[in-house]
């Protein structure tokens, strides 16, 4: 916050401005055509404390990554809302299908399956389209080198990035998330931190020197990791 002390985070927020910004961000045509009013970007940039964090995050998603990402996020938010409304009907249909299978009721299985397909079809009909994505293959043995090359070549691309590990079949959002988790774990290795001067060391340096492959090969700090100051 630019004004106010700790504990008064909402003191400077304007509910009226936040509501007006949220209304503009719900107009898919406006941000897809890059036709948002100038104040929607100028005011939050100059006076961020006047808007809620949620609204500023929404503005970031709608303007920072291109119209395709903005429309994709807008679509997924709408689909998630519609899916939550249909959750009770979907669970009921799943329960009917499970009971029909237990009772070996062919007609019941058919009706329950049709109900589930109908719900999924209505959800799918809310989609505008899929965002373009790039699939990259990386090696677990060279995770940091591959990650550095991947970020270098893909940084200027507007496509969604998906990752697949070499000689493994799985791919998708779960595997991509696991890739980022593997990179974050690798960056916590003490030898990596010493080589690249990344983090402030903890109190287990001597234990690591005694056993480099022991339990202290990763930096451990109860208060979190903090980057080393620039020399």
């Amino acid at each position: 916050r630019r004004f106010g002390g700790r504990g008064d985070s909402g003191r400077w927020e304007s509910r009226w401005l936040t509501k007006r910004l949220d209304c503009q961000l719900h107009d898919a045509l406006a941000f897809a055509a890059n036709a948002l009013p100038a104040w929607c970007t100028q005011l939050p940039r100059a006076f961020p404390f006047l808007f809620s964090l949620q609204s500023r995050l929404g503005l970031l998603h709608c303007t920072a990554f291109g119209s395709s990402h903005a429309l994709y996020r807008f679509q997924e938010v709408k689909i998630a809302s519609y899916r939550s409304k249909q959750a009770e009907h979907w669970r009921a249909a799943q329960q009917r299908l499970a009971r029909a299978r237990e009772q070996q009721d062919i007609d019941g299985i058919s009706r329950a399956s049709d109900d589930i397909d109908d719900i999924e079809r209505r959800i799918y009909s809310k989609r505008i389209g899929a965002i373009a994505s790039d699939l990259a293959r990386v090696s677990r043995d060279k995770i940091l080198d591959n990650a550095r090359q991947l970020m270098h070549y893909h940084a200027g691309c507007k496509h969604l990035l998906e990752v697949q590990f070499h000689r493994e079949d799985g791919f998708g959002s779960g595997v991509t998330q696991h890739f980022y988790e593997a990179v974050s774990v690798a960056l916590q290795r003490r030898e990596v931190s010493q080589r690249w001067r990344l983090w402030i060391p903890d109190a287990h340096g001597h234990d690591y020197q005694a056993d480099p492959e022991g339990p202290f090969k990763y930096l451990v700090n109860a208060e979190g990791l903090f980057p080393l100051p620039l020399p």
Side-chain angles (χ1 to χ4, degrees):
R1 300 290 173 178
R2 191 173 296 180
F3 296 103
R6 182 176 299 178
D8 59 354
S9 60
R11 179 176 297 178
W12 296 92
E13 288 179 6
S14 169
R15 293 183 180 179
W16 185 82
L17 284 175
T18 297
K19 184 177 179 180
R20 293 285 296 174
L21 179 60
D22 289 341
C23 288
Q24 292 290 340
L25 297 182
H26 279 82
D27 186 355
L29 183 60
F31 61 73
N34 197 22
L36 284 172
W39 70 265
C40 290
T41 54
Q42 293 174 357
L43 274 181
R45 186 179 295 116
F47 309 104
F49 50 86
L50 293 177
F51 300 87
S52 68
L53 176 61
Q54 179 113 19
S55 296
R56 284 182 280 135
L57 285 174
L59 179 64
L60 175 70
H61 286 295
C62 288
T63 59
F65 306 109
S67 58
S68 59
H69 280 265
L71 283 174
Y72 180 76
R73 179 183 176 275
F74 183 81
Q75 167 187 273
E76 293 305 306
V77 169
K78 291 292 185 181
I79 289 175
S81 176
Y82 184 77
R83 190 184 293 274
S84 65
K85 294 178 181 177
Q86 298 294 323
E88 185 175 349
H89 299 290
W90 190 83
R91 283 194 298 268
Q94 288 283 356
Q95 292 172 357
R96 291 197 303 272
L97 179 61
R99 287 195 299 267
R101 284 174 175 172
E102 289 178 0
Q103 300 170 2
Q104 297 183 352
D105 181 1
I106 302 301
D107 291 337
I109 292 175
S110 178
R111 288 193 299 270
S113 298
D114 289 343
D115 291 342
I116 293 173
D117 290 342
D118 183 60
I119 293 172
E120 292 294 338
R121 190 161 44 249
R122 290 201 301 268
I123 293 174
Y124 185 79
S125 68
K126 302 295 180 182
R127 291 187 177 274
I128 303 172
I131 190 172
S133 62
D134 293 331
L135 180 63
R137 289 182 174 88
V138 299
S139 172
R140 290 184 182 272
D141 298 332
K142 300 179 180 179
I143 189 72
L144 287 181
D145 291 336
N146 288 171
R148 184 171 63 250
Q149 294 174 4
L150 185 57
M151 295 301 109
H152 174 73
Y153 288 112
H154 202 269
C157 183
K158 296 293 185 180
H159 292 178
L160 190 68
L161 176 63
E162 293 187 349
V163 174
Q164 184 180 33
F165 288 101
H166 184 57
R167 295 181 179 177
E168 297 183 21
D169 296 330
F171 67 94
S173 59
V175 178
T176 303
Q177 181 179 355
H178 178 63
F179 162 73
Y180 289 114
E181 291 174 353
V183 171
S184 67
V185 170
L187 288 173
Q188 295 178 51
R189 290 183 65 92
R190 200 177 296 270
E191 61 174 348
V192 173
S193 178
Q194 292 177 352
R195 188 193 322 151
W196 292 347
R197 293 183 55 82
L198 294 177
W199 313 110
I200 293 177
D202 56 16
H204 301 289
H206 295 292
D207 298 321
Y208 168 72
Q209 293 176 359
D211 185 8
E213 292 300 322
F216 297 104
K217 65 180 180 179
Y218 295 99
L219 284 167
V220 179
N221 194 329
E223 298 180 353
L225 296 179
F226 296 91
L228 276 171
L230 292 175

